[in-house]
Amino acid sequence: MRRFGIEEEFLLVDAQTGLPAVPDESAVAALMNIEGGGSSTSRELLSCQTESATPICTNAKQALESLQGYRRALATGAESLGFRAVGIGTAPVVPEHPATVADTPRYRDMAARAAGIVDDQYVNGLHVHVEVPDRAAGVRVLNSLRPWLPLFTAIGGNSPMWRGRDSGFASWRTIHYRRWSVQGIPPCFAGINDYDLRLKRMLATDVVLDCGHIAWAARLSDTYPTIEVRASDTQLEAKDSVLIALLIRAVVGAELEDPAQPDGVADPEMLDIALWKAARDGLGGELIDPGDGESRPAEEIVGVLMARIEPVLSRHGDLSFVERGLAGLFENGTGAQRLRRVHADVGMPGLLDYAASALLL
């Protein structure tokens, strides 16, 4: 069974103001000591962010228990410091002054290279790692994933609010991220040598700091024998993170076990439009069909994906979890849809209350 792991980025907000938190040195040390579900805490670009990573998982139960265990520990630890932890893809309200960057050499370097971007880079993503046999196979999988990445953005849209109001996008994080030098849908690669050559050329510039600075929606991991998919926002609830991870694992498995013919949408400009449209509309509108490029209801595009990966989901024992999860999203809404309903009913303080409580589910 193909192994996988999940990384989640979380936002810390001040319990009184709802603005991104600015932990002092002692608070940072306390946050870095938080552990739960087999996961520990690591720093992210901004001081108001934390990141966790599950242990290596083989099934949904392991992943869900790990995420829930860590999220509960983070909620408790943050509350003891006067903060609230939330799983939202963007900070719903931000200060006028520049963001406080985490005090590490790498993040200080990033801020120096791209100050205007880092100043309000209040974005939090979900990163899914799936094991691949080798880097050459990883490139083949990366190419096959390209048409599906917009769908993972739509399913994982959870950042509609920005600067205190609705951005008009289900995933404002995805749009916000487009300011970086290397981002969006990765190009199609001729093979591993082509992939490595392109990375070498980018890293030779004074723009790309390191391999972690390449912000494609999917890439080969520079650390693990995995492909890393970064197309979705961080999620309100742990079960939705697991749902997205299982879908991605199934797409990887389908390509490795039964390669599809490359006859779908591959033009970079169309994939870029598909990603932008998915970020705007989420699952609430139409998406671009990865087969013929036509716009169709999101539920139909999900059906196309399920037809491709259902055999793999069944072999992994994931089918019922995925079917329940997708049905729940279409019935109750994605994170973006739920946040919009809550904001309409109870405003921004209520939205943050809701997001903080969702971290415990």
Side-chain angles (χ1 to χ4, degrees):
M1 186 173 292
R2 203 164 306 284
R3 299 181 296 177
F4 67 101
I6 301 171
E7 297 174 347
E8 295 189 300
E9 296 170 349
F10 297 100
L11 173 71
L12 301 172
V13 299
D14 186 280
Q16 300 302 315
T17 66
L19 290 168
V22 186
D24 59 22
E25 289 185 11
S26 64
V28 168
L31 288 165
M32 292 304 106
N33 285 327
I34 294 174
E35 297 181 344
S39 300
S40 57
T41 304
S42 59
R43 304 199 74 171
E44 250 303 321
L45 174 61
L46 303 183
S47 65
C48 62
Q49 297 173 295
T50 66
E51 183 178 35
S52 69
T54 65
I56 296 172
C57 300
T58 59
N59 58 61
K61 182 174 183 292
Q62 288 176 334
L64 186 60
E65 289 177 350
S66 177
L67 294 183
Q68 290 174 331
Y70 178 80
R71 283 164 165 249
R72 289 166 183 160
L74 177 63
T76 301
E79 185 177 4
S80 72
L81 297 168
F83 309 135
R84 307 180 82 181
V86 294
I88 305 179
T90 52
V93 290
V94 300
E96 291 301 319
H97 57 76
T100 303
V101 177
D103 190 17
T104 71
R106 181 173 185 271
Y107 292 143
R108 289 197 300 270
D109 194 357
M110 287 176 63
R113 291 169 183 247
I117 297 175
V118 172
D119 280 352
D120 64 350
Q121 187 68 5
Y122 296 104
V123 300
N124 307 285
L126 170 72
H127 305 160
V128 177
H129 287 261
V130 181
E131 183 180 33
V132 291
D134 52 56
R135 298 179 74 248
V139 169
R140 294 197 303 272
V141 170
L142 189 59
N143 287 341
S144 71
L145 271 168
R146 295 171 70 239
W148 295 113
L149 293 172
L151 179 56
F152 296 135
T153 295
I155 291 171
N158 185 39
S159 53
M161 310 306 296
W162 182 246
R163 297 193 180 277
R165 60 183 184 272
D166 195 322
S167 68
F169 287 79
S171 177
W172 182 245
R173 165 189 162 273
T174 298
I175 302 302
H176 207 64
Y177 231 118
R178 291 164 74 95
R179 304 179 302 172
W180 286 98
S181 56
V182 185
Q183 48 72 41
I185 306 291
C188 186
F189 299 99
I192 186 59
N193 291 337
D194 183 34
Y195 184 92
D196 287 341
L197 178 60
R198 293 193 190 198
L199 258 62
K200 181 179 179 180
R201 287 171 174 165
M202 288 187 287
L203 292 169
T205 71
D206 65 351
V207 173
V208 180
L209 178 62
D210 52 37
C211 288
H213 205 73
I214 294 171
W216 286 324
R219 65 190 186 190
L220 296 187
S221 172
D222 192 49
T223 308
Y224 307 107
T226 64
I227 189 164
E228 181 185 4
V229 179
R230 306 155 52 85
S232 302
D233 298 341
T234 200
Q235 296 296 290
L236 286 169
E237 298 182 35
K239 64 179 176 60
D240 293 330
S241 295
V242 176
L243 167 65
I244 293 168
L246 296 180
L247 288 169
I248 291 170
R249 177 169 73 157
V251 173
V252 173
E255 177 59 25
L256 290 174
E257 298 164 23
D258 181 24
Q261 295 299 316
D263 57 356
V265 176
D267 295 340
E269 66 275 15
M270 283 302 298
L271 290 177
D272 194 47
I273 289 171
L275 183 65
W276 193 95
K277 182 172 173 58
R280 186 187 67 185
D281 299 342
L283 289 185
E286 292 189 334
L287 299 173
I288 292 179
D289 190 316
D292 60 16
E294 297 295 325
S295 291
R296 292 190 172 84
E299 198 160 3
E300 287 188 23
I301 307 303
V302 170
V304 174
L305 175 66
M306 288 297 289
R308 168 71 174 141
I309 65 175
E310 186 171 323
V312 179
L313 291 171
S314 296
R315 284 196 293 274
H316 287 163
D318 295 337
L319 184 58
S320 62
F321 188 102
V322 167
E323 288 179 335
R324 289 196 308 272
L326 290 173
L329 290 183
F330 282 110
E331 180 178 353
N332 302 315
T334 61
Q337 291 167 316
R338 282 173 269 162
L339 288 173
R340 281 174 166 147
R341 289 200 301 266
V342 170
H343 185 257
D345 289 342
V346 294
M348 190 59 69
L351 180 147
L352 292 173
D353 289 343
Y354 172 74
S357 64
L359 204 71
L360 301 174
L361 298 177

